[in-house]
Amino acid sequence: MSVPETMKTTNDEALEGLVELITFHSEETGFCVLKVKARGFREMVAVVGKIPRINVGEWIKAAGKWHIDRKHGRQFQAAHLEAVVPNSLAGIEKFLGSGLIKGIGPVYAKKLVDAFGMGVLDVIENRSAELERVDGIGPLRRQQIKESWKAQKTIREIMSFLFAHGVSTGRAFRIYKTYGEEAINKVRLDPYCLARDIHGIGFKIADQIAERLGIAKDSILRARAGLTYVLLELSNQGHCAYPRDPLLTRAAEMLGIPQGTMEEALRIELENGTLTVGPGEDNETWIYLAALDLAEREVAARLAEISQGAHPCPQINLPAAVEWVQKQLGMELAPGQVAAFQGAFQNKVLVITGGPGVGKTTLVQSLVKVLAAKKLRLMLCAPTGRAAKRMTELSGMEAKTIHRMLAYEPGSGRFRYNAKSPLETDVLIVDETSMIDIQLAVHLFRAVPRHGLLILVGDVDQLPSVGPGCVLRDIIESNTIPVFRLTEIFRQSDGSQIVHNAHRVNSGQMPVLPGKDEALAGHSDFYFVSAETPTHGVELIRKLVCEAIPRRFRLQPLRDVQILTPMQKGELGARNLNAAMQAALNPQGREVERYGWKYRERDRVMQTENNYDKDVFNGDVGTIVKVDAAEQEVLVRYDDRQVAYDFQELDELTPAYAVTVHKSQGSEYPCVVLPLHTQHYVMLQRNLLYTGITRGKQLVVLVGTTKAVGLAVRNAEAGRRNTTLRRRLREAQRQGT
């Protein structure tokens, strides 16, 4: 057998044969343990090595050495391992029947081999029309087989290319979906395109590939990509811009590139329009990603424009309207609610904000009733599916996600409703506005008709949006839009320790922390369990979720209890807690292992990015109802519908037994378990604790140390974002007047 010269070492031996069993294979590292029916051996041999992708039935060629493992016995340790097309009918049949190609299982594999013999792979690739000669294969199945074969071939080439350059292969499918057959050529030309275009492949991975391709560390191509990368990382922290000089210093230090080269890179990017420059705070020069700069400008202009002109509601007797709606609701509105209610008929754009239990929902109900009675067209929306569903239930009128309301078109990447084709409504009420980042805000406000009434509802004291910007806070602090802050806690919420403690935290006071015995006896909806160490905290959370809470409060762990944690990493981070809770709540079942996680039937999972093709969005939580090895897909149920994921798309899903507080925004849960420990020091912020507490409807449990709780309560200044929307709103207002 021929072994590539570059892979040979002294005394290398050669081995080849048919893969009968894959004992282990890592999608990330390529490491594998194979059972191979090798030439010259009666019994199967164990082959250990690295290969980007492997399937049962494939023929492998290996170069390496034999080794005696104390535990596993004799193994062939392959320094070089490659898969080739099987060269026997039995091998081809096994290869095709392995599930690699959609539309072909063991039954059709046999039919195809019987029909075409050794030429079957050529038929699939080059003469696919002939497949319809086989009983059961019609035009649809033929097309499925053809496309799957083509995709797998291209993916394998991409995997091999990336693998050869020291990169894990888990993102190859996504690269193929983005670039198609041009993937390798595009990466060779500019490896940094991966960081710009593909989720999950950041600058560091692209930089590794660039180095292996021979791109110099101080090249202007690398400097430009690195500069954009730094700004993207800052936007992930919420910033829309960054001061020029600190940005260049930060990028130069990170990349190890001279300051002069970074300045040249900035000049080129500004000329190309990728980045823009403008005034920031304290007369500093700030650098923006062009898209974020444009978004801020347009949001300011649109809000100023909508604010002008006649109100869409005809003249109304406000005292009579208040009296009428109170009778309809069977309750009296508080003074703050009355003021906000009247403000909605005196302004075309307004903000209604306040914490839990202060009557924001009742106020929205009041407005909906009166505006509907006046025959005005109404639309209600929220950033997430859960928030929209809750708004529907509480308002009595259908609410949609912003994306669904604007009719996002995945193929074009555009929204059907925009400035040229505005929403067909007179009134738009937006809930959970604090969750809206600047990029979504610009699309939303573009679609509001000029004559329309825009009511923005949200809790400004919660965590800001996951994406860049601080839209609701900036609007409020600009003093250009009327703001109505509700503060009075209603009687139905007056006895809730969740509500009272949320307001205490928001005002900088320690929450009241009932002891374990009192709370577990059912005397409170809020309690604290001390855990001096993170390890102890994990065990306490397991017992609480699996035993104590279901027993005392009749709540189901998989349905009703949500663990919210400040961060991903650490013992009390989402990753470790998810592993622990899966082992406790769902230890076995049909599963598939991808990206370092076992996706198992009955698992609770969360979508981690917007997928417009599937109509699922970042933060949506569902349950795995089926793992289908034959079709290579996982079915996830979101409320009343099911969504299919190809095995290669599972990096869009993360386990959701535990999620970060940031990811919980817009959602409510019957019970929230919130670990707080000094291990979370960098994330211990008042708005994070406040947001976590307000997610619980019936029960909130803090697990950790009083010191960590105190640190969070006192830390009110963390995380100020660099935005210029406040200034731009003021400028737009001055220009409008």
Side-chain angles (χ1 to χ4, degrees):
M1 167 188 134
S2 175
V3 177
E5 292 295 328
T6 56
M7 301 302 298
K8 281 185 178 180
T9 60
T10 307
N11 299 322
D12 266 349
E13 295 184 57
L15 181 145
E16 60 181 277
L18 186 71
V19 178
E20 292 281 353
L21 178 68
I22 300 171
T23 305
F24 177 81
H25 182 245
S26 167
E27 291 268 341
E28 294 298 308
T29 66
F31 178 79
C32 63
V33 181
L34 311 175
K35 292 296 179 72
V36 178
K37 189 176 182 180
R39 279 182 178 169
F41 296 84
R42 282 189 177 182
E43 297 182 354
M44 286 194 294
V45 300
V47 177
V48 179
K50 287 187 176 182
I51 193 168
R53 176 172 269 200
I54 191 69
N55 287 276
V56 170
E58 290 190 281
W59 191 266
I60 62 150
K61 292 185 177 181
K65 294 180 174 67
W66 289 99
H67 172 74
I68 305 297
D69 186 90
R70 288 184 180 180
K71 185 177 180 180
H72 301 290
R74 192 170 188 239
Q75 298 176 330
F76 189 84
Q77 294 190 332
H80 171 69
L81 187 61
E82 65 173 323
V84 296
V85 174
N87 60 1
S88 70
L89 287 176
I92 292 173
E93 184 178 331
K94 197 159 194 172
F95 172 63
L96 291 175
S98 67
L100 176 69
I101 310 300
K102 287 186 179 181
I104 304 179
V107 173
Y108 280 103
K110 186 175 187 325
K111 288 183 178 181
L112 287 166
V113 169
D114 288 345
F116 302 109
M118 294 295 294
V120 64
L121 300 181
D122 181 64
V123 170
I124 293 172
E125 184 166 355
N126 299 311
R127 311 193 311 273
S128 65
E130 295 180 28
L131 294 174
E132 295 186 33
R133 288 164 36 193
V134 176
D135 184 45
I137 298 182
L140 290 178
R141 185 178 292 271
R142 172 178 72 82
Q143 191 66 21
Q144 184 185 39
I145 293 170
K146 181 182 178 181
E147 290 177 357
S148 180
W149 173 265
K150 184 178 180 181
Q152 291 297 333
K153 187 178 178 182
T154 305
I155 291 168
R156 189 178 294 274
E157 290 173 355
I158 294 168
M159 281 182 168
S160 298
F161 174 76
L162 291 174
F163 198 71
H165 291 87
V167 181
S168 67
T169 61
R171 300 290 184 268
F173 185 74
R174 190 179 291 270
I175 295 171
Y176 169 73
K177 285 181 69 175
T178 305
Y179 299 133
E181 295 179 5
E182 292 298 310
I184 293 175
N185 289 336
K186 285 188 72 71
V187 172
R188 288 187 188 277
L189 187 65
D190 179 11
Y192 296 106
C193 67
L194 296 173
R196 293 191 298 270
D197 300 339
I198 300 181
H199 174 79
I201 300 183
F203 174 82
K204 293 180 180 179
I205 293 176
D207 205 32
Q208 291 175 21
I209 298 174
E211 184 177 10
R212 289 176 176 261
L213 289 172
I215 295 173
K217 286 285 188 182
D218 61 351
S219 71
I220 196 69
L221 180 67
R222 183 169 181 263
R224 291 169 59 188
L227 192 59
T228 300
Y229 164 69
V230 171
L231 276 171
L232 281 170
E233 286 293 291
L234 289 165
S235 76
N236 291 334
Q237 298 170 26
H239 300 295
C240 291
Y242 209 71
R244 179 188 184 278
D245 293 343
L247 173 66
L248 290 173
T249 301
R250 189 171 183 150
E253 290 177 353
M254 186 197 79
L255 298 170
I257 291 178
Q259 188 89 1
T261 305
M262 294 310 309
E263 290 181 355
E264 176 64 10
L266 176 59
R267 183 189 66 77
I268 294 171
E269 293 301 287
L270 290 173
E271 282 185 0
N272 290 345
T274 309
L275 308 179
T276 59
V277 62
E281 295 181 353
D282 301 324
N283 295 317
E284 285 185 299
T285 299
W286 281 10
I287 306 300
Y288 303 77
L289 292 168
L292 299 183
D293 183 13
L294 179 64
E296 280 199 344
R297 292 176 186 275
E298 195 167 348
V299 164
R302 289 294 299 169
L303 286 176
E305 188 177 40
I306 299 166
S307 299
Q308 306 300 313
H311 197 283
C313 185
Q315 288 190 342
I316 184 171
N317 184 327
L318 287 174
V322 171
E323 185 177 349
W324 179 84
V325 81
Q326 289 180 152
K327 288 181 180 178
Q328 293 291 312
L329 294 173
M331 62 182 296
E332 188 174 337
L333 298 178
Q337 290 176 308
V338 172
F341 178 90
Q342 294 176 338
F345 295 93
Q346 296 165 334
N347 303 278
K348 286 192 67 202
V349 180
L350 68 152
V351 171
I352 299 169
T353 188
V358 297
K360 296 192 298 293
T361 299
T362 301
L363 179 56
V364 170
Q365 288 175 328
S366 303
L367 290 168
V368 167
K369 283 185 177 295
V370 174
L371 290 164
K374 290 293 183 178
K375 307 298 183 185
L376 293 177
R377 297 171 298 173
L378 280 83
M379 283 188 174
L380 279 61
C381 68
T384 67
R386 287 204 164 204
K389 185 180 180 182
R390 195 174 74 253
M391 194 181 189
T392 299
E393 293 168 351
L394 296 174
S395 69
M397 181 179 174
E398 183 189 12
K400 297 180 179 180
T401 64
I402 295 172
H403 285 88
R404 188 169 294 173
M405 181 185 69
L406 298 181
Y408 183 80
E409 300 172 338
S412 65
R414 299 173 182 174
F415 293 91
R416 187 187 309 164
Y417 294 101
N418 49 48
K420 293 182 179 179
S421 181
L423 293 165
E424 296 173 1
T425 188
D426 302 308
V427 182
L428 178 62
I429 303 177
V430 185
D431 199 14
E432 296 286 358
T433 309
S434 64
M435 296 179 61
I436 299 176
D437 63 32
I438 193 67
Q439 293 166 302
L440 183 56
V442 70
H443 292 294
L444 176 63
F445 298 152
R446 277 174 185 166
V448 179
R450 292 184 181 182
H451 77 276
L453 166 62
L454 176 62
I455 302 173
L456 304 174
V457 184
D459 187 350
V460 72
D461 296 315
Q462 287 190 30
L463 287 169
S465 58
V466 175
C470 207
V471 175
L472 183 60
R473 183 172 295 279
D474 283 347
I475 290 173
I476 292 172
E477 293 182 356
S478 72
N479 295 316
T480 60
I481 303 289
V483 177
F484 298 90
R485 184 181 282 271
L486 306 182
T487 57
E488 183 179 339
I489 299 175
F490 275 67
R491 281 195 297 271
Q492 60 263 38
S493 301
D494 197 45
S496 170
Q497 288 303 303
I498 296 174
V499 172
H500 278 283
N501 277 329
H503 286 276
R504 285 180 66 86
V505 168
N506 198 34
S507 63
Q509 302 177 68
M510 280 288 287
V512 178
L513 302 175
K516 175 181 177 182
D517 293 338
E518 179 187 355
L520 285 180
H523 300 313
S524 177
D525 61 359
F526 186 103
Y527 68 98
F528 173 79
V529 179
S530 177
E532 291 303 316
T533 68
T535 303
H536 186 212
V538 174
E539 179 57 19
L540 281 172
I541 289 171
R542 186 195 66 77
K543 288 182 177 178
L544 284 165
V545 174
C546 300
E547 301 170 19
I549 292 173
R551 184 175 63 248
R552 300 287 183 138
F553 297 95
R554 308 292 183 188
L555 296 172
Q556 294 184 20
L558 284 171
R559 185 190 67 193
D560 301 325
V561 183
Q562 181 63 60
I563 302 167
L564 302 181
T565 181
M567 56 201 305
Q568 285 286 349
K569 298 179 180 178
E571 277 192 85
L572 286 169
R575 292 175 186 171
N576 187 56
L577 286 170
N578 272 314
M581 297 314 300
Q582 187 193 45
L585 293 171
N586 193 26
Q588 57 188 5
R590 284 190 293 186
E591 63 183 36
V592 57
E593 187 169 356
R594 289 290 189 278
Y595 311 112
W597 179 258
K598 291 179 179 177
Y599 295 88
R600 190 172 292 153
E601 291 181 356
R602 294 181 68 245
D603 271 346
R604 180 193 291 171
V605 291
M606 175 180 282
Q607 178 76 15
T608 61
E609 61 185 88
N610 293 337
N611 187 320
Y612 305 106
D613 292 315
K614 299 184 189 296
D615 199 27
V616 288
F617 303 98
N618 191 355
D620 287 352
V621 174
T623 301
I624 295 177
V625 294
K626 187 177 182 181
V627 176
D628 191 330
E631 292 296 321
Q632 297 184 65
E633 67 180 21
V634 167
L635 292 180
V636 179
R637 184 181 67 247
Y638 295 99
D639 295 325
D640 56 351
R641 67 191 187 93
Q642 293 186 3
V643 177
Y645 292 81
D646 188 281
F647 283 178
Q648 304 298 331
E649 298 175 310
L650 292 177
D651 59 336
E652 294 185 16
L653 296 176
T654 187
Y657 298 99
V659 302
T660 64
V661 177
H662 282 84
K663 287 287 190 181
S664 73
Q665 289 175 268
S667 299
E668 285 186 342
Y669 313 95
C671 172
V672 163
V673 177
L674 178 59
L676 283 176
H677 203 275
T678 49
Q679 184 187 72
H680 300 135
Y681 182 79
V682 296
M683 296 299 294
L684 293 177
Q685 301 166 13
R686 184 185 296 175
N687 58 358
L688 183 141
L689 175 57
Y690 173 77
T691 301
I693 292 172
T694 59
R695 300 306 88 199
K697 294 192 294 184
Q698 298 170 227
L699 184 66
V700 171
V701 186
L702 303 188
V703 180
T705 64
T706 54
K707 182 179 180 180
V709 177
L711 286 170
V713 170
R714 291 191 295 274
N715 186 9
E717 299 301 320
R720 190 72 184 187
R721 298 180 168 189
N722 290 335
T723 68
T724 50
L725 182 58
R726 295 184 300 280
R727 172 176 59 79
R728 286 169 165 169
L729 283 163
R730 296 184 191 114
E731 291 173 353
Q733 186 186 56
R734 287 196 296 270
Q735 292 171 3
T737 56

